[in-house]
Amino acid sequence: MSTTEVTWWGHSTVWLADSGTTLLTDPVLTGRLAHLRRMAGPSPRLPGAPDAVLLSHLHADHFHVGSLRAVPGKPLLIVPRGAAAFTARVMGAEAGNRCVELAPGESTVVGGVRVRAVPARHDGGRGPWSRDRAIAIGFVVEGAARTWFAGDTGLFDGMHELGPLDLALVPVGGWGPTLGSHGHLDAADGAEALRRVKASWAVPVHYGTLWPIGMGRVRRHMFDGPGERFAEHAARVAPESRVRVLAHGESLSLEPAT
């Protein structure tokens, strides 16, 4: 049976290989994004062209147009319901034609895996300056393993229905010295999410990569610490789950259950 491997490239950018299929989540492949600078880890080195890119919502640190243009090949773009028109407008008709729109409960098959959209509690708009809107979603990838990529989300009713899982990719921080409670998880809430979804393994993401330019010495504990704090909280509230805090560019392999 196939081994499932996940590599964290920082923020919400994850390379997932399962059942001979490769997926890339919310790619940010650059050293700078607007007022944010990559402060940790190497620039992502993708091993090739993914079969599909999973895009959880339209915020620029998840749907980064420059990075999408840099992704090799012509992968499927699996996007939230309502995002295909935006994709075609900012990336061209060819990219729009590669879009597969999903709403929670809908799914599509990519190679050897099924990609299912699941709810997320997060604002789906591009930003306060934009009229572009789509829903925000997460994904459960079902192949040799069941993997939840949360995108951006707060805690929500029904989160327990996502489990049980083999792997949860849990957002536990942000990109600035403040993190609003609406639509986000911090380390403690991330551990509660892990308890609800009952994942055998968890990897914290969405922290420790991007930081506002000029703020490198401001509240560094909020930049460096969320992953380890998540592991500490998870040990108390979700003791049956194993947490692996990955360094940027580091991988975790899950062997199939026997």
Side-chain angles (χ1 to χ4, degrees), residues 109-155:
V109 173
V110 183
V113 303
R114 179 173 292 277
V115 179
R116 180 164 57 94
V118 298
R121 180 175 170 258
H122 193 72
D123 176 68
R126 180 66 171 172
W129 64 90
S130 174
R131 296 181 181 178
D132 293 300
R133 298 196 61 80
I135 60 174
I137 58 175
F139 298 95
V140 170
V141 178
E142 299 170 330
R146 296 188 75 247
T147 300
W148 175 43
F149 170 66
D152 256 351
T153 188
L155 296 170

Side-chain angles (χ1 to χ4, degrees), residues 56-60 63 65 80-91 101 122-136:
S56 63
H57 61 292
L58 293 184
H59 286 171
F63 196 116
V65 175
R81 179 71 63 192
F86 171 78
T87 306
R89 180 164 57 80
V90 299
M91 294 187 61
E101 289 191 330
H122 193 72
D123 176 68
R126 180 66 171 172
W129 64 90
S130 174
R131 296 181 181 178
D132 293 300
R133 298 196 61 80
I135 60 174

Side-chain angles (χ1 to χ4, degrees), residues 15-144:
W15 179 273
L16 176 65
D18 187 334
S19 303
T21 302
T22 53
L23 307 173
L24 181 66
T25 68
D26 287 356
V28 174
L29 308 179
T30 59
R32 182 170 174 175
L33 192 164
H35 66 297
L36 306 176
R37 182 161 62 95
R38 184 178 293 271
M39 295 283 287
S43 296
R45 297 186 297 272
L46 303 183
D51 295 303
V53 178
L54 310 186
L55 295 158
S56 63
H57 61 292
L58 293 184
H59 286 171
D61 60 320
H62 294 258
F63 196 116
H64 185 233
V65 175
S67 293
L68 283 171
R69 288 175 175 153
V71 173
K74 296 186 182 298
L76 287 178
L77 304 176
I78 303 180
V79 302
R81 179 71 63 192
F86 171 78
T87 306
R89 180 164 57 80
V90 299
M91 294 187 61
E94 186 277 332
N97 291 336
R98 286 190 274 128
C99 285
V100 176
E101 289 191 330
L102 297 179
E106 298 176 340
S107 65
T108 190
V109 173
V110 183
V113 303
R114 179 173 292 277
V115 179
R116 180 164 57 94
V118 298
R121 180 175 170 258
H122 193 72
D123 176 68
R126 180 66 171 172
W129 64 90
S130 174
R131 296 181 181 178
D132 293 300
R133 298 196 61 80
I135 60 174
I137 58 175
F139 298 95
V140 170
V141 178
E142 299 170 330

Side-chain angles (χ1 to χ4, degrees), residues 205-256:
V205 299
H206 201 271
Y207 78 98
T209 306
L210 303 173
W211 207 241
I213 293 170
M215 299 186 71
R217 297 183 180 181
V218 176
R219 302 184 194 176
R220 286 287 305 197
H221 67 285
M222 298 189 71
F223 177 84
D224 297 318
E228 293 295 343
R229 289 198 295 274
F230 167 74
E232 293 167 1
H233 286 293
R236 292 192 292 271
V237 304
E240 295 183 356
S241 299
R242 289 171 286 183
V243 174
R244 176 72 177 273
V245 181
L246 295 178
H248 290 73
E250 189 177 8
S251 300
L252 170 66
S253 295
L254 301 182
E255 297 297 330

